[in-house]
Amino acid sequence: MKYINAHLGIKLFASYILVITIGMAVVWGTTVFTTPRAFERHLSFMEQRLGAGNGMMMGQGQGGGMMADFYLNFQASFNESLIIAVIAATLVALVVSFVLSRSVIAPVRVMMNASQRISEGHYDERVQSHGVDELSQLAASFNQMAEQLEQVEAMRRRLLGDVAHELRTPLTAIKGSAEGLMDGVLPASDETYQQIHNEAERLNKLVNDLQELSRVEAKAIPLNVQPVKVTRLIETVTKRMQFQFDEKRVILNRQLPHDPILVLADEDRALQILTNLLGNALQYTPESGTVTVAIAREKNMACFSIHDSGIGIPAEHLAHIFDRFYRVDKSRSRTHGGSGIGLTISKHLVEAHGGKIWAESDGANKGSMFVFTLPIT
């Protein structure tokens, strides 16, 4: 019994045999109960056709005995034919059941072997999918799962490489400065110590960003969602960042709605999203450029947009702009290009609020616009 329970094919085959056996038993029982009445009905019909005299003769004396023998012979012949039919039907059913059970088990076994290979790290494993039945749909879902696992593994490997690269840059600078101080190549001046401090600060910021990213991707950040005025969000973030814009001589404009709009959001996280996007716009907007923050109402969502007159984004990079550590210009250092995590964090925070975020640009040197939505109360 344990062997049967451990193999789906045997259970399917046994179920077919059980159905066949029950069917044959029903056929046999039905014939046992219905054959006598059917025989009597047909015999009565024959008596009427042959005449009343012959009917009387068959119902008396020796005729009654002959009639009983005739019925027994008839029943024996019928049972013999029925047994032969049952045996033939059973043999055919066994063959058909075996073929059908193998046809069901074969794709399941293929998926089992493929899942075993995926568990061993072969994420490129796929199974063939034919038809539109449930097994074919299962195979398609299996392939979709395998493809997503392959993408996740590729992202994991890329993330490890990016993190190693990002950590190596400030560590190399700190190590080089320390060795220069020990060898007497660099002077023990405030400038040297400030350079080491700046690199350590970059390293600390990167570690904090990675920690924040892991939390938002794991949805481990609780959100204190409550009604918030969008005008208060914009006024707060622009006041905080106005000095940075003035220092770089970039004009910061605001386009606030005439009617009050309340959004359901965590105020601190909403400010973090706006700060990341404004900081990104400032980073890539040259001196004398402009950055405009605007808000519009679209049905049940408040649409925030940050438009800049900066370097723009080529069309082929728009789909990846929110990926971790992604840079449009690979040659730009993190000193000028940021950690490459702020946009990713913003994306996860917006989606955690039930909104969407995307980027638009007409191309290189034509500025860019980042747009995100938050639900209105």
Side-chain angles (χ1 to χ4, degrees), residues 237-292:
V237 74
T238 51
K239 285 180 181 179
R240 289 180 182 178
M241 302 191 66
Q242 187 64 58
F243 175 76
Q244 300 177 39
F245 278 83
D246 293 341
E247 188 178 29
K248 194 177 179 180
R249 297 181 183 179
V250 174
I251 301 173
L252 178 58
N253 297 322
R254 301 183 303 182
Q255 294 181 0
L256 302 179
H258 297 290
D259 299 328
I261 299 177
L262 292 175
V263 293
L264 283 173
D266 185 311
E267 184 171 357
D268 292 336
R269 296 303 177 182
L271 289 174
Q272 183 180 358
I273 297 168
L274 287 167
T275 301
N276 286 343
L277 295 180
L278 280 174
N280 181 78
L282 177 62
Q283 193 77 44
Y284 294 104
T285 300
E287 186 177 331
S288 301
T290 59
V291 175
T292 303

Side-chain angles (χ1 to χ4, degrees), residues 196-226:
I196 296 176
H197 180 271
N198 291 339
E199 293 299 330
E201 189 65 28
R202 284 181 56 200
L203 186 61
N204 183 66
K205 184 178 185 304
L206 177 59
V207 171
N208 290 336
D209 286 344
L210 286 172
Q211 185 179 21
E212 182 80 359
L213 177 62
S214 66
R215 293 175 62 196
V216 297
E217 286 188 333
K219 297 179 175 58
I221 294 181
L223 296 178
N224 182 22
V225 177
Q226 57 186 352

Side-chain angles (χ1 to χ4, degrees), residues 301-360:
M301 304 295 285
C303 186
F304 297 77
S305 62
I306 294 90
H307 188 276
D308 63 68
S309 59
I311 62 174
I313 305 171
E316 64 270 18
H317 296 284
L318 286 174
H320 305 284
I321 201 66
F322 294 101
D323 293 349
R324 309 183 195 97
F325 300 110
Y326 191 83
R327 284 182 290 178
V328 175
D329 186 356
K330 305 298 181 183
S331 64
R332 293 179 67 89
S333 67
R334 290 303 181 201
T335 304
H336 301 92
S339 66
I341 304 178
L343 292 180
T344 308
I345 294 175
S346 299
K347 177 178 182 292
H348 285 284
L349 288 176
V350 169
E351 292 176 348
H353 283 84
K356 296 182 179 179
I357 186 170
W358 65 92
E360 300 176 1

Side-chain angles (χ1 to χ4, degrees), residues 89-325:
T90 301
L91 292 176
V92 174
L94 287 174
V95 175
V96 173
S97 299
F98 180 75
V99 173
L100 289 178
S101 62
R102 284 184 61 86
S103 67
V104 173
I105 292 302
V108 175
R109 185 164 295 165
V110 169
M111 282 186 280
M112 181 184 67
N113 295 334
S115 64
Q116 181 65 31
R117 285 185 55 80
I118 288 177
S119 67
E120 296 172 355
H122 303 282
Y123 296 101
D124 57 343
E125 190 72 20
R126 300 291 185 273
V127 296
Q128 297 294 327
S129 177
H130 303 288
V132 294
D133 58 3
E134 287 79 0
L135 284 175
S136 299
Q137 295 174 12
L138 178 61
S141 299
F142 180 90
N143 289 336
Q144 184 179 6
M145 178 199 67
E147 184 177 355
Q148 292 177 350
L149 287 175
E150 186 177 15
Q151 293 176 357
V152 169
E153 177 63 15
M155 290 176 62
R156 184 187 68 84
R157 292 177 180 176
R158 187 170 66 247
L159 175 61
L160 291 176
D162 290 339
V163 169
H165 174 73
E166 297 302 324
L167 293 176
R168 186 182 297 113
T169 302
L171 285 174
T172 301
I174 293 173
K175 182 181 178 182
S177 298
E179 290 176 349
L181 286 172
M182 289 186 295
D183 295 339
V185 177
L186 292 177
S189 61
D190 293 341
E191 183 180 357
T192 303
Y193 292 126
Q194 184 63 43
Q195 182 180 357
I196 296 176
H197 180 271
N198 291 339
E199 293 299 330
E201 189 65 28
R202 284 181 56 200
L203 186 61
N204 183 66
K205 184 178 185 304
L206 177 59
V207 171
N208 290 336
D209 286 344
L210 286 172
Q211 185 179 21
E212 182 80 359
L213 177 62
S214 66
R215 293 175 62 196
V216 297
E217 286 188 333
K219 297 179 175 58
I221 294 181
L223 296 178
N224 182 22
V225 177
Q226 57 186 352
V228 181
K229 290 183 179 180
V230 296
T231 53
R232 186 170 70 181
L233 292 174
I234 299 301
E235 290 172 355
T236 301
V237 74
T238 51
K239 285 180 181 179
R240 289 180 182 178
M241 302 191 66
Q242 187 64 58
F243 175 76
Q244 300 177 39
F245 278 83
D246 293 341
E247 188 178 29
K248 194 177 179 180
R249 297 181 183 179
V250 174
I251 301 173
L252 178 58
N253 297 322
R254 301 183 303 182
Q255 294 181 0
L256 302 179
H258 297 290
D259 299 328
I261 299 177
L262 292 175
V263 293
L264 283 173
D266 185 311
E267 184 171 357
D268 292 336
R269 296 303 177 182
L271 289 174
Q272 183 180 358
I273 297 168
L274 287 167
T275 301
N276 286 343
L277 295 180
L278 280 174
N280 181 78
L282 177 62
Q283 193 77 44
Y284 294 104
T285 300
E287 186 177 331
S288 301
T290 59
V291 175
T292 303
V293 185
I295 302 176
R297 181 170 185 151
E298 295 183 0
K299 296 182 179 179
N300 60 339
M301 304 295 285
C303 186
F304 297 77
S305 62
I306 294 90
H307 188 276
D308 63 68
S309 59
I311 62 174
I313 305 171
E316 64 270 18
H317 296 284
L318 286 174
H320 305 284
I321 201 66
F322 294 101
D323 293 349
R324 309 183 195 97
F325 300 110

Side-chain angles (χ1 to χ4, degrees), residues 17-89:
I17 297 302
L18 180 61
V19 171
I20 293 169
T21 303
I22 294 174
M24 294 302 178
V26 172
V27 171
W28 184 272
T30 303
T31 57
V32 169
F33 285 105
T34 59
T35 298
R37 293 183 181 180
F39 179 79
E40 291 178 1
R41 186 172 61 254
H42 286 287
L43 183 60
S44 175
F45 176 75
M46 291 177 61
E47 289 177 349
Q48 293 177 3
R49 297 291 300 270
L50 293 175
N54 292 335
M56 292 175 61
M57 180 184 67
M58 293 179 65
Q60 297 176 357
Q62 186 178 359
M66 293 177 58
M67 193 62 208
D69 293 338
F70 178 73
Y71 174 74
L72 291 175
N73 290 331
F74 166 77
Q75 191 174 35
S77 300
F78 179 80
N79 290 341
E80 181 181 353
S81 300
L82 182 61
I83 291 173
I84 294 174
V86 167
I87 293 174

